Amino acid sequence: DTAVSQTPKYLVTQMGNDKSIKCEQNLGHDTMYWYKQDSKKFLKIMFSYNNKELIINETVPNRFSPKSPDKAHLNLHINSLELGDSAVYFCASSQDLGGRGYGYTFGSGTRLTVV
Amino acid sequence: AQKVTQAQTEISVVEKEDVTLDCVYETRDTTYYLFWYKQPPSGELVFLIRRNSFDEQNEISGRYSWNFQKSTSSFNFTITASQVVDSAVYFCALSEGAQKLVFGQGTRLTINP
C-alpha cells in the first residue's frame, strides 16, 4: 500500500488548459502539502492544509487552487496552464504541523509538461 | 526567515571514496528540525534522517553519518566508502514553527565506478 499516492505520474498538456493532480495519503496524517520542484531541482512549498484547513499559501498564482475534501486528500487544480508551470509537483503529508513528530512523507511526484 | 544553504552544487568522486555534503542553516527559533532527503534518478524523495535542535549527537547508519553542530549552524552528511547507487541529488531541509519544510538547493552527487 502506497503511503502517499499522486495521480497522474506524468501529465503533458497544452497551454491554456485546465488540469488537476490528485493526492491521497493513507497514513492518518493531519497535514498535507504541495511542493513544486523546478527545472533546477529547487523545491519550494506551495500550500499546506491541516485537517482540511488552509494553513500556508506561499505566493502562488491564483490559477493554482488546492482543494481538500477530507484530511486524507489534497488535490491541486491549475487553470490556464502556462509554459512556466512545467515542473514536478510533489504531494507530502506529516503527522503534525511542521513535521515535528516523524517528519514528512512524500509522494512520487507528478511531472507536468506544458507545451 | 529561515534559510538552508548547500554550497556544493555538484560533487563527483570515484567509488569507495568518502564524501561529505555540507549544509548550513539559518533560523531564529530555538526549536527546529533538520532533515536530509535523497532524490535518486527515478525522482522520488527518500527520507534519510530527522534531527531536532536539542539533540546534537552525531548519528551513524551504516555507511551514512551526520554531524550536527549548532555552534556553526551546520548539519553535514558523510557517505563512507561510496557506491554507484549513492548517486543522487541530496537535499538538506529545515522545519521550524513556520510549519513548512524549507529545502536547500540540493547537491548532485555522482559516484563513478
Side-chain angles (χ1 to χ4, degrees), chain A residues 22-101:
Chain A
K22 295 185 176 181
C23 179
E24 176 182 5
Q25 55 96 2
N26 62 6
L27 299 166
H29 286 171
D30 286 340
T31 310
M32 296 185 72
Y33 312 80
W34 279 108
Y35 280 82
K36 178 180 180 180
Q37 185 172 42
D38 62 23
S39 58
K40 296 184 178 179
K41 294 287 192 179
F42 186 63
L43 277 154
K44 192 170 191 296
I45 190 168
M46 299 173 69
F47 302 102
S48 75
Y49 271 74
N50 181 255
N51 277 319
K52 303 193 297 175
E53 180 187 351
L54 178 65
I55 302 296
I56 291 175
N57 181 341
E58 195 83 353
T59 59
V60 177
N62 291 338
R63 298 182 295 102
F64 290 79
S65 53
K67 284 187 172 51
S68 182
D70 54 61
K71 74 173 193 177
H73 295 85
L74 180 61
N75 303 323
L76 183 64
H77 188 77
I78 315 170
N79 290 327
S80 303
L81 277 154
E82 301 176 356
L83 292 176
D85 297 331
S86 295
V88 179
Y89 293 84
F90 284 97
C91 178
S93 71
S94 63
Q95 190 173 47
D96 50 22
L97 286 170
R100 293 186 295 273

Side-chain angles (χ1 to χ4, degrees), chain B residues 17-89:
Chain B
E17 283 186 21
D18 299 348
V19 58
T20 295
L21 282 60
D22 297 334
C23 173
V24 174
Y25 63 91
E26 294 177 32
T27 179
R28 294 182 183 177
D29 277 15
T30 55
T31 302
Y32 52 90
Y33 293 79
L34 294 161
F35 300 80
W36 276 93
Y37 282 87
K38 173 182 180 180
Q39 188 173 40
S42 51
E44 72 273 22
L45 285 162
V46 179
F47 168 81
L48 296 178
I49 190 172
R50 165 185 154 275
R51 173 70 64 195
N52 75 55
S53 53
F54 298 107
D55 183 1
E56 284 195 74
Q57 282 192 348
N58 291 333
E59 178 143 345
I60 298 175
S61 176
R63 296 183 298 106
Y64 294 172
S65 62
W66 290 269
N67 181 273
F68 176 30
Q69 293 200 343
K70 287 179 75 170
S71 60
T72 55
S73 297
S74 65
F75 186 42
N76 297 336
F77 173 33
T78 297
I79 301 175
T80 304
S82 60
Q83 299 177 1
V84 172
V85 292
D86 296 327
S87 297
V89 180

